[in-house]
Amino acid sequence: MGARRDRILMLWNQVGEDEYVALAEAGPQELAFKPGEMASEVGTLQDELDALTEAVAANGYNVKSVNIADDVDTLIDTLRSWKPDAVFNLVEFFNDRADQEAYVAGLFEMMKIPYTGNTPRTLIDCQRKYRTKLLLESQGVSTPVSRRYHQVPVPRDHGLPYPLIVKPAREDASGGINATSVVHDYDALNEQVEEVIEFHQQPALVERYIDGREVHVAILGNDPPVVLPLLEYEFEEPEEEGRPKILTYEAKWDPLSPDFYALDVSVPPRDLPRHIAKRIREHAVAAYTVTGCRDYARVDLRLDADGTPYVLEVNPNPDLAEGVGYMLCAEKSGRTFVSTIGEIIEMALARGERRTPSQRARSTQRGTDARAKAKSTVRSAKAGAKKAGKRR
């Protein structure tokens, strides 16, 4: 009888229909703002999940994929009945609340089940953007100076230099960020803060706007964390005068929006001086460490006029879809989609209490073999997102 294969339970959460299904079924559509040009291909959530499931299986694991659908009984019953060796944690919200993402990871902790990605504390800290900034500042990591406001009017002597950017203090994936988020005077500041507080029902984070290059840093691993090739978002010159070059919600999520087509992706960044790239990597690793990240995360930065990097956000458990941001960086490093997924699983399995030292050693060796195989079959990373309708 052959050795038992490790059981990997892939958990995700989806309630209702995936809005991208309708776009995918509609097929190619002419863009209203670019007559004669068609919208990019749209990938659905199920497409991503199928690819991830296949990647887990390709690493030799026994995999089961379950949508917990906001049902805590389904979550607990599945964990108890299937008894996974590790959970591949893809849950990003619960009860339509992003902050409850951390509660799901906390359940894994209490049940002593190894899981991929970041801990409840890191998930909570990084979602609270102001808290993240305080952590970074306490350890000397550069981040734009900021204030948090719960009401308007904002004090006139707030002490921040214009232009400023206003964003929800507890959203991710560019939620609440649009062309009006960058403000240049006191009246516009109050208007934008009020909109965030009323529409998003949370405080507004106001910070210095860094009008420079935007570089994202994908990091993999723990001892030590490995910085993958850098990724830069290159913004086209806006047709509308004064429109800021920022990664809006529409730029990430809406394949029918002009914002989506106003940027490109470069891995690695073009014409980036070595010494600046080195500083970016150092700041990103420091941010990863300070916020307690593990396994994988993405750190978003901007460069000011003199090349100083400023950490904007730390994103634990970023999207792992093939052909988009994080995986573009992984592929450029010599890994494949399948081998990267394998590395992440092996890190979780190594934390399992039920595994003997010899089993852990075999897991480590399998991860090493997978990386070696990946390097021999390296695929070139695509310069743009392959599945345009999903997170960039």
Side-chain angles (χ1 to χ4, degrees), residues 7 9 11 32 49 72 76 93 101 110 112 151 164 186 211 257 259 267 300 309 313 330 332 354 385:
R7 297 158 66 89
L9 179 60
L11 291 180
L49 291 168
V72 71
I76 294 173
F93 64 92
E101 170 190 21
M110 290 187 289
K112 298 182 179 180
Q151 61 185 18
L164 302 170
Y186 181 71
D211 186 13
S257 166
D259 282 8
V267 184
D300 303 345
E313 294 186 17
K332 197 67 174 180
R354 294 192 296 271

Side-chain angles (χ1 to χ4, degrees), residues 120-144 146 148 167-172 205 207 283-284 286-293 298-300 310-316:
R121 179 176 178 178
T122 296
L123 294 172
I124 289 173
D125 282 347
C126 291
Q127 192 176 76
R128 301 314 199 248
K129 296 179 182 180
Y130 191 67
R131 182 183 298 181
T132 301
K133 294 173 73 68
L134 292 177
L135 285 170
L136 297 175
E137 290 172 351
S138 72
Q139 300 301 312
V141 180
S142 297
T143 185
S146 65
R148 182 178 53 179
K167 58 183 83 170
R170 296 197 296 266
E171 292 285 346
D172 59 6
L205 178 67
E207 66 181 20
H283 276 66
Y288 186 91
T289 304
V290 166
T291 53
C293 288
R298 191 190 74 241
V299 181
D300 303 345
Y310 287 86
V311 174
L312 304 180
E313 294 186 17
V314 179
N315 298 277

Side-chain angles (χ1 to χ4, degrees), residues 165-179:
I165 184 167
V166 183
K167 58 183 83 170
R170 296 197 296 266
E171 292 285 346
D172 59 6
S174 291
I177 298 179
N178 52 53

Side-chain angles (χ1 to χ4, degrees), residues 14-28:
Q14 172 70 21
V15 180
E17 295 185 5
D18 178 6
E19 61 183 311
Y20 290 99
V21 170
L23 288 173
E25 290 177 347

Side-chain angles (χ1 to χ4, degrees), residues 188-201:
L189 172 61
N190 274 297
E191 183 177 330
Q192 199 63 29
V193 168
E194 184 175 25
E195 179 178 324
V196 167
I197 293 171
E198 292 188 354
F199 185 80
H200 294 276
Q201 296 295 298

Side-chain angles (χ1 to χ4, degrees), residues 310-358:
Y310 287 86
V311 174
L312 304 180
E313 294 186 17
V314 179
N315 298 277
N317 297 7
D319 185 35
L320 294 174
E322 186 175 14
V324 298
Y326 190 93
M327 278 298 170
L328 286 175
C329 299
E331 291 177 352
K332 197 67 174 180
S333 75
R335 294 167 171 81
T336 66
F337 175 60
V338 170
S339 70
T340 305
I341 296 301
E343 286 188 63
I344 291 171
I345 292 171
E346 291 299 336
M347 286 182 264
L349 286 171
R351 292 190 285 268
E353 289 188 354
R354 294 192 296 271
R355 298 176 72 77
T356 65
S358 62

